[in-house]
Amino acid sequence: MEVSDIKKVGVVGCGIMGGGIAEVAAAANYDVIIAEASQDLLDKGMRAIEASLALSVRRGKITDDVKTAALGRIRGTLDLKYFGDCELVIEAVTENLELKKKLFRELDGICRPDAILATNTSCLSIIDMAAQTSRTEQVLGLHFFNPVPAMKLLEIVKTIATGDETLRVARAFGESLGKAVVVAPDIPGFIVNRLLMPFFLEAIRLVESGQATREDIDRAVMLGLNHPMGPLKLADFVGLDTACFIAEAMYDEMKDDRFAPPVLLKKMVAAGRHGRKSKKGFYDYG
Ligand code: 3HC
């Protein structure tokens, strides 16, 4: 398969990441079908895609015509049976390995034999998902970053079974979306989260130990390292529940203390302080 053969992209999950992936694919002229588990979630996700495209129009990034055309290329569904003619499917469902393995089994039965199946997982083992299919060489990770339309990077995650042709097509696909591509190994956290998680966790340990304030930590990183957000603001943005889940998954896999979530993070998650989405994390967003 060549990237020019990709006409229809399937996206499973219409949350922040799935919606963002659908949006950038449609804006790059692919036909997109996006699946959700319920009509409510699908409607909510489609409204978010429309709002994000409208923001891009307001920011002068795209014209109103491009927005209308992109929306016209995205079709929502509750049924994966419509994914049969997709050349590429990207799943972006909840970070649950058993759920993802089941989904890969299902997609393998539905999708055309030459279709590439990808996961947007941020930390889970991709070969475990690939092993559920009869096409392990056509399975890989396409790890996008939030907010998908604004972030330049796409991590392509190559498992020990991913074929060279799949990798080549995936790279060209990422570039066709305007992303810069890096190839990462199928190890816990790939490249970015492998570095980001110890950074988050060390910042949280500094707060936990009372040695520095959250404001000083974030200011230091923003002004001293030129990051757009400090680690605590960014952890709130990613979601403290998500960050905690990723760290725990990485710790479980590697038994390396650098990835063990600090007690403070676990307590904040237990208290429902999930960051920006719950309006409370290291900062208040009320
Ligand atoms: N959609 C499209 N474009 C957007 C956008 C959106 N939702 N939000 C911001 N942008 C664009 C703007 O148009 C602008 O582009 P320009 O510089 O070319 O004009 C640029 O992003 C910066 O926007 P602003 O100047 O308005 O500044 P903001 O403060 O609003 O920027 C931000 C928001 C882009 C989120 C910025 O703060 C940032 O880059 N933060 C860090 C985000 C990050 O690190 N994300 C990765 C998280 S880790 C992850 O996702 C992996 C997972 O596995 C955990």
Side-chain angles (χ1 to χ4, degrees):
M1 189 192 296
E2 295 299 326
V3 71
S4 54
D5 296 323
I6 300 181
K7 307 283 180 222
K8 183 174 169 189
V9 176
V11 180
V12 190
C14 197
I16 293 174
M17 297 309 291
I21 295 166
E23 178 185 334
V24 296
N29 291 324
Y30 293 100
D31 288 327
V32 176
I33 183 155
I34 185 156
E36 250 303 348
S38 75
Q39 193 62 46
D40 271 3
L41 288 172
L42 186 60
D43 292 344
K44 192 173 162 224
M46 294 296 273
R47 281 196 300 274
I49 294 173
E50 188 164 359
S52 177
L53 284 164
L55 181 69
S56 296
V57 173
R58 283 202 300 282
R59 288 178 190 254
K61 301 264 172 192
I62 57 169
T63 63
D64 207 40
D65 287 351
V66 170
K67 175 195 150 195
T68 308
L71 280 173
R73 278 192 285 271
I74 305 176
R75 191 178 136 213
T77 181
L78 301 181
D79 199 333
L80 290 178
K81 74 176 180 217
Y82 299 112
F83 279 53
D85 57 349
C86 291
E87 290 84 12
L88 168 67
V89 176
I90 306 168
E91 75 77 18
V93 302
T94 314
E95 290 283 43
N96 174 321
L97 185 59
E98 290 314 310
L99 179 72
K100 287 181 190 278
K101 281 162 65 172
K102 183 168 166 284
L103 181 58
F104 270 83
R105 276 199 298 278
E106 216 175 327
L107 288 171
D108 190 45
I110 292 169
C111 295
R112 43 190 276 181
D114 60 347
I116 294 175
L117 304 182
T119 171
N120 180 57
T121 184
S122 48
C123 61
L124 299 173
S125 168
I126 297 173
I127 191 62
D128 283 40
M129 298 173 215
Q132 303 300 312
T133 74
S134 56
R135 55 180 99 193
T136 49
E137 72 290 352
Q138 286 159 237
V139 176
L140 82 178
L142 291 180
H143 184 214
F144 289 82
F145 294 83
N146 183 26
V148 180
M151 300 301 288
K152 268 309 256 178
L153 183 67
L154 172 64
E155 256 185 330
I156 295 189
V157 189
K158 180 186 185 308
T159 75
I160 53 167
T162 305
D164 289 344
E165 181 184 311
T166 302
L167 200 62
R168 186 169 49 73
V169 175
R171 180 187 282 278
F173 172 74
E175 287 167 355
S176 76
L177 303 182
K179 301 298 179 197
V181 169
V182 295
V183 177
D186 182 23
I187 56 171
F190 318 132
I191 294 176
V192 172
N193 282 334
R194 184 72 171 231
L195 299 171
L196 183 63
M197 288 304 136
F199 177 54
F200 275 178
L201 301 181
E202 204 55 31
I204 296 168
R205 286 184 200 110
L206 269 179
V207 175
E208 189 175 48
S209 65
Q211 293 182 87
T213 65
R214 59 188 180 185
E215 290 83 3
D216 279 351
I217 293 167
D218 279 351
R219 251 169 88 78
V221 168
M222 286 176 73
L223 303 180
L225 297 173
N226 255 2
H227 288 205
M229 289 172 164
L232 300 166
K233 204 38 138 344
L234 184 58
D236 274 356
F237 181 73
V238 165
L240 298 185
D241 53 338
T242 304
C244 191
F245 176 85
I246 297 172
E248 249 159 11
M250 293 177 72
Y251 179 73
D252 283 351
E253 191 86 1
M254 294 187 288
K255 303 287 180 282
D256 179 334
D257 286 346
R258 284 177 302 163
F259 301 98
V263 172
L264 174 62
L265 177 60
K266 292 202 245 182
K267 298 283 183 199
M268 288 177 76
V269 173
R273 295 186 188 180
H274 293 176
R276 198 184 275 207
K277 63 186 157 192
S278 70
K279 303 214 177 335
K280 206 169 170 55
F282 286 100
Y283 297 90
D284 281 338
Y285 302 90

